[in-house]
Amino acid sequence: MNLLSEGRKALIARLSVISPTNGYLTAAGSMVKTGWVNEVLEEAKEGFPMIIVQPGKGQPPAPQPGAIILGKGFSVVGAVDAGTDYEDALDDLELDLIRCLMPVHKTFPKWLPLGVTKIQLGTPEAFPPGNGMVAATILIPVYLSTIIEGM
């Protein structure tokens, strides 16, 4: 079992729960994609709002006795149709993403596999549509703290 892959798959599964039936504002969980944002958006003709999980910059490994803790990084990108009033839609999606991924104080997230001990969120950053982009986006850096044991 590759714990890094298991953590990524758990993140994707967690984002897939975003829907109004689960108390969220959007149905973006039905459109969770992986890959590079520009490539996914180029192929997207419809289906907004959408969530894209892209590899991102991680955090420096923290040495521990017999192991390291790796802050595996992802860019979780929410995309909404770049219609005339996309600001409210982008705010709704940002709120959904933060609520879905919000860490619980002093508890292991139940949706992460054993060995992935923590989730941290970075500062969200919004990007307007332009340069041929069909969507306005919000990028949230996400770090999954993963214990990697020595051989």
Side-chain angles (χ1 to χ4, degrees), residues 18 25-26 78-80 87-101 121-126 137-140:
I18 295 176
L25 300 172
T26 71
V80 298
E87 291 91 353
D88 287 345
L90 200 58
D91 287 345
D92 287 349
L93 186 50
E94 180 179 5
L95 182 62
D96 281 353
L97 291 169
I98 290 170
R99 287 176 56 218
C100 178
L101 300 175
L121 305 181
T123 304
E125 186 175 0
T137 58
I138 184 79
L139 181 146
I140 301 175

Side-chain angles (χ1 to χ4, degrees), residues 16-120:
S16 296
V17 305
I18 295 176
S19 76
T21 57
N22 290 326
Y24 294 94
L25 300 172
T26 71
S30 65
M31 289 293 292
V32 179
K33 309 279 185 185
T34 60
W36 300 101
V37 171
N38 58 336
E39 294 173 0
V40 173
L41 289 178
E42 280 177 13
E43 295 174 5
K45 304 291 185 248
E46 57 185 49
F48 292 102
M50 105 174 22
I51 301 167
I52 305 161
V53 178
Q54 172 179 296
K57 184 176 181 178
Q59 296 176 324
Q64 303 292 314
I68 63 167
I69 297 178
L70 180 68
K72 177 76 172 157
F74 300 92
S75 294
V76 173
V77 179
V80 298
D81 189 3
T84 56
D85 186 22
Y86 62 84
E87 291 91 353
D88 287 345
L90 200 58
D91 287 345
D92 287 349
L93 186 50
E94 180 179 5
L95 182 62
D96 281 353
L97 291 169
I98 290 170
R99 287 176 56 218
C100 178
L101 300 175
M102 185 178 300
V104 178
H105 188 61
K106 294 186 179 184
T107 337
F108 293 117
K110 292 179 177 142
W111 56 270
L112 286 173
L114 190 62
V116 181
T117 60
K118 180 171 65 171
I119 182 170
Q120 291 178 278

